[in-house]
Amino acid sequence: MEMPNDGLEHNPTALERAAEQPLPNADTLANEFEVLQHPAPATQTQWQEAMEKLQFGTSFSDHMATAHWNPQQGWHDKQIRAFAPLEISPACSVLHYSQTIFEGMKAYRHADGSIWAFRPGYNAARFAYSAQRLAMPTLPVSDFLASLVQTVRLDARWVPQQRGASLYLRPLMFASQAFLGVHPAQEITYLMMASPVGSYFASGLAPVSIWVAQDYHRAGPGGTGDAKTGGNYAASLLPQIRASKAGFDQVCYLDAQTNKNLEELGGMNVFAVRRDGALITPKLTGTILEGGTRSAIARMCRDEGRPVFEQTVALSRLLEGIDSGEITEMFACGTAAVVVPIGRLAGDGFDVTLPGSSVAQRIYDRLTGIQQGRGKDPYGWMYRLA
Ligand SMILES: *Cc1c(COP(=O)(O)O)cnc(C)c1O
């Protein structure tokens, strides 16, 4: 039974509570990792070229953070060093059994030149959750943060100036033990790399088309759907290719148990907007990744008096709602694009359009305003890195 509520009440999730823990000031974290300066960082010309044509995840800053773990020493060898290829054994267990997790967040340059991350405590807590699910050691929040602070301070020139652009930060942990047996690795590598990225939308929010997969799932009950792990993405590639071939931008998945209820896209959560302005989003069931963007949007909207209902979203009822005009908009959300209006939703036996995107636009403006330092940040979500 779903309890009726007014959509304005919310019990914070474990991740949201963890993200509320106060974080140490960046200045106190400036020496946690040993810095080995890149002997040959990008030249001014190379840097300029990279910063002029910003795409997603194609160029990288000069340095990366690395750390290693084993049961005897715990986390050790914490270093900031040149972004360069790694040497690993062909028997490295991540290559065989995918014991790996990652995070994704952005550092923004504000008008006064200062550099800020959006809710890094949330990402640190989720990284710890994912680590536990994948039977890996958790990285202390202070080490996670220090890797961001020190890399960004060293590579500050890689944080773009242009509006909407940012330095995408990618923490990663993987099983680096050379061993073919199936057991949790006794050697783990942590990496944190940084990639300057442009605004996902060069000129205004552009709606995407979504294919609802009825014959593929990204996650199942008891699986790893709520952990940020590469295998979930690997599972999404074939359906993504099929959808692209049929002319769609992205895939939306249904729950594996009933094949009836909306879950999320391969890398973004979804919302529907009701005619009265209320938001509806699939409730967290253990197979949905708990997005920080989802959480931030729900918080902002509830505080503005816009109800947000986290509930079961049956595809059949959603389609009825779109047909009757009860549902006026849908959008997806995640760190990379922030908010993406959904203009078309199709699957076996249906193909509907959603003309609206004004609520998505308002949410996008408000959230990117906070992230880019133009709007007030009443939640203390922004963390000063440099
Ligand atoms: C990362 C991710 C999201 C979005 O999370 P954010 O914290 O908002 O970036 C949503 N779904 C999946 C499957 C993801 O991996």
Side-chain angles (χ1 to χ4, degrees), residues 274-275 313-328 330 345 350 352-354:
R274 256 176 18 191
R275 187 170 40 208
V313 180
L315 175 63
S316 59
R317 294 209 30 208
L318 180 73
L319 292 171
E320 281 166 24
I322 294 170
D323 191 49
S324 71
E326 180 66 15
I327 300 295
T328 53
M330 284 182 69
L345 190 72
F350 65 94
V352 298
T353 55
L354 292 127

Side-chain angles (χ1 to χ4, degrees), residues 145 204 215 287 305 341 364:
L145 273 182
D215 44 0
T287 50
Y364 177 82

Side-chain angles (χ1 to χ4, degrees), residues 246-284:
F248 293 87
D249 297 309
Q250 295 268 329
V251 178
C252 181
Y253 294 93
L254 301 176
D255 74 292
Q257 224 159 7
T258 70
N259 211 28
K260 289 190 165 106
N261 304 317
L262 235 61
E263 293 214 313
E264 61 170 323
L265 312 193
M268 284 189 271
N269 296 114
V270 288
F271 282 88
V273 184
R274 256 176 18 191
R275 187 170 40 208
D276 66 1
L279 300 184
I280 299 168
T281 191
K283 68 175 178 188
L284 302 171

Side-chain angles (χ1 to χ4, degrees), residues 66-284:
T66 60
H68 297 278
W69 180 92
N70 64 35
Q72 295 76 37
Q73 294 166 281
W75 288 104
H76 61 281
D77 281 354
K78 296 186 276 176
Q79 293 177 333
I80 310 286
R81 54 181 167 121
F83 178 87
L86 304 171
E87 190 161 291
I88 53 172
S89 164
C92 184
S93 75
V94 68
L95 299 178
H96 302 261
Y97 309 122
S98 299
Q99 194 187 6
T100 176
I101 57 166
F102 67 95
E103 267 306 322
M105 71 198 87
K106 285 173 167 176
Y108 301 88
R109 188 183 292 281
H110 288 181
D112 64 357
S114 57
I115 301 169
W116 302 72
F118 178 72
R119 279 179 108 187
Y122 188 96
N123 297 85
R126 191 169 63 188
F127 199 55
Y129 174 78
S130 299
Q132 280 168 5
R133 180 62 187 84
L134 273 288
M136 297 169 117
T138 55
L139 183 73
V141 173
S142 57
D143 285 339
F144 183 92
L145 273 182
S147 72
L148 309 180
V149 168
Q150 290 189 255
T151 306
V152 165
R153 289 188 175 192
L154 203 55
D155 285 350
R157 67 172 176 156
W158 292 94
V159 185
Q161 306 270 5
Q162 306 93 297
R163 177 157 173 172
S166 58
L167 185 65
Y168 183 79
L169 303 170
R170 168 53 62 87
L172 173 74
M173 201 192 278
F174 66 91
S176 43
Q177 188 176 15
F179 180 68
L180 294 184
V182 179
H183 76 58
Q186 303 297 294
E187 286 171 29
I188 300 287
T189 298
Y190 170 70
L191 287 177
M192 205 296 295
M193 67 199 83
S195 171
V197 298
S199 175
Y200 200 86
F201 299 106
S203 50
L205 292 189
V208 297
S209 56
I210 300 290
W211 177 260
V212 180
Q214 280 152 303
D215 44 0
Y216 290 103
H217 297 281
R218 66 171 284 282
T224 56
D226 64 349
K228 222 166 166 67
T229 181
N232 295 338
Y233 280 72
S236 75
L237 298 177
L238 181 60
Q240 175 65 39
I241 290 172
R242 302 244 158 127
S244 300
K245 279 199 181 130
F248 293 87
D249 297 309
Q250 295 268 329
V251 178
C252 181
Y253 294 93
L254 301 176
D255 74 292
Q257 224 159 7
T258 70
N259 211 28
K260 289 190 165 106
N261 304 317
L262 235 61
E263 293 214 313
E264 61 170 323
L265 312 193
M268 284 189 271
N269 296 114
V270 288
F271 282 88
V273 184
R274 256 176 18 191
R275 187 170 40 208
D276 66 1
L279 300 184
I280 299 168
T281 191
K283 68 175 178 188
L284 302 171

